[in-house]
């Protein structure tokens, strides 16, 4: 019985699914700047991805949500079953005069392991797949080139399994998922998984001068 309790406790600490809370948190930034461009991609639990990209210079909005599935208005619980076909994603609005598409892709491939199929660490399922959604052929080509560049760099050992898929629809996640890490830094999954990723990101990209002033500590 003791061993079973230890195993269950470990799973709770390292898995995104089942860790949510409806604690009131901050709202996302308005996405009404006409100079912005938008990228939608997924690299595991969206709490991790959102917690990183909101710290970059030139990023004006980051919204967690769902894309790539077949069900309209999916809920978090439905997506977590893996049966709706959606991936957990973020939609990022950024100013290309401040940060380029290629720089955004560099951060994306730095943040997660693109060689893991339908998982990131102990988060397992198609909802955690590595995926980039493109809007047109030009953006598809840029995504393909970014993938080739990262793969050739040797940053991750192995072949990338990142999907590059035509964008169709983005469904924003429930309000309590927006800004989740900032609002819940001591929540078990956040402290064990998200925080180390954010710290690693800040160290690397802080040295490159790519962080917002408030993100530099």
């Amino acid at each position: 019985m003791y061993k079973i309790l230890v195993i269950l406790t470990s799973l709770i600490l390292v898995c995104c699914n089942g860790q949510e809370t409806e604690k009131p948190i901050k709202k996302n930034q308005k996405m009404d700047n006409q100079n912005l461009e938008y990228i939608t991609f997924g690299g595991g639990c969206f709490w991790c991805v959102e917690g990183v990209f909101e710290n970059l210079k030139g990023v004006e909005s980051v919204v967690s949500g769902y894309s790539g599935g077949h069900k309209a208005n999916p809920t978090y619980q439905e997506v977590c079953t893996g049966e709706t076909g959606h991936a957990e994603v973020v939609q990022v609005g950024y100013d290309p005069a401040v940060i380029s598409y290629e720089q955004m892709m560099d951060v994306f491939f730095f943040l997660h392991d693109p060689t893991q199929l339908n998982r990131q660490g102990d988060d397992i399922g198609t909802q955690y797949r590595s995926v980039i959604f493109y809007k047109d052929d030009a953006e598809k080509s840029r995504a393909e080139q970014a993938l080739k560049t990262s793969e050739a760099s040797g940053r991750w050992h192995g072949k990338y399994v990142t999907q590059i898929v035509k964008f169709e629809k983005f469904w924003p996640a429930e309000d309590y998922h927006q800004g989740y890490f900032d609002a819940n830094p001591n929540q078990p999954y956040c402290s064990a998984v998200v925080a180390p990723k954010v710290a690693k990101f800040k160290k690397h990209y802080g040295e490159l001068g790519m962080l917002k002033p408030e993100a530099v500590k």
Side-chain angles (χ1 to χ4, degrees):
M1 178 61 74
Y2 175 75
K3 289 183 178 180
I4 293 175
L5 289 174
V6 170
I7 292 172
L8 290 175
T9 300
S10 299
L11 288 173
I12 289 173
L13 285 173
V14 298
C15 295
C16 177
N17 186 12
Q19 290 287 307
E20 73 273 16
T21 176
E22 297 197 19
K23 176 181 177 181
I25 58 177
K26 71 177 184 181
K27 299 292 184 181
N28 286 288
Q29 306 95 321
K30 292 183 178 179
M31 301 178 75
D32 55 3
N33 185 335
Q34 294 185 356
N35 295 321
L36 299 184
E37 294 185 5
Y38 296 92
I39 301 179
T40 303
F41 42 39
C45 178
F46 49 24
W47 299 342
C48 295
V49 184
E50 181 193 71
V52 163
F53 277 91
E54 64 184 7
N55 291 296
L56 285 170
K57 288 180 180 177
V59 169
E60 299 295 332
S61 62
V62 186
V63 181
S64 291
Y66 317 110
S67 281
H70 52 76
K71 185 182 186 302
N73 295 304
T75 67
Y76 180 66
Q77 288 72 25
E78 289 172 334
V79 172
C80 283
T81 67
E83 296 178 359
T84 70
H86 293 89
E88 288 192 14
V89 301
V90 296
Q91 189 168 87
V92 184
Y94 69 100
D95 186 345
V98 179
I99 185 170
S100 69
Y101 179 91
E102 287 70 26
Q103 287 174 311
M104 295 284 288
M105 286 293 104
D106 185 71
V107 175
F108 172 71
F109 285 119
F110 177 90
L111 174 62
H112 77 294
D113 184 348
T115 70
Q116 292 193 341
L117 181 63
N118 296 330
R119 70 180 297 170
Q120 283 297 303
D122 290 306
D123 290 330
I124 301 172
T126 57
Q127 67 270 30
Y128 300 117
R129 64 189 180 272
S130 177
V131 58
I132 302 168
F133 293 92
Y134 64 88
K135 295 184 292 295
D136 52 39
D137 288 342
E139 189 171 80
K140 179 182 180 182
S141 295
R142 297 179 78 180
E144 290 173 339
Q145 183 56 54
L147 186 153
K148 291 178 182 177
T149 298
S150 182
E151 190 173 42
S153 74
R155 173 178 285 170
W156 299 97
H157 298 294
K159 183 174 178 58
Y160 284 20
V161 295
T162 304
Q163 297 177 352
I164 298 177
V165 181
K166 176 71 174 179
F167 176 81
E168 293 185 0
K169 182 69 178 181
F170 171 76
W171 303 97
E174 295 83 346
D175 283 348
Y176 66 88
H177 286 298
Q178 313 302 336
Y180 191 89
F181 174 62
D182 285 347
N184 302 278
N186 297 318
Q187 186 258 23
Y189 181 88
C190 287
S191 60
V193 179
V194 185
K197 285 191 175 186
V198 173
K200 180 181 178 182
F201 153 80
K202 284 187 175 181
K203 182 178 187 304
H204 181 74
Y205 288 95
E207 292 173 354
L208 297 177
M210 292 177 61
L211 302 185
K212 295 174 181 176
E214 60 269 26
V216 179
K217 296 181 181 179

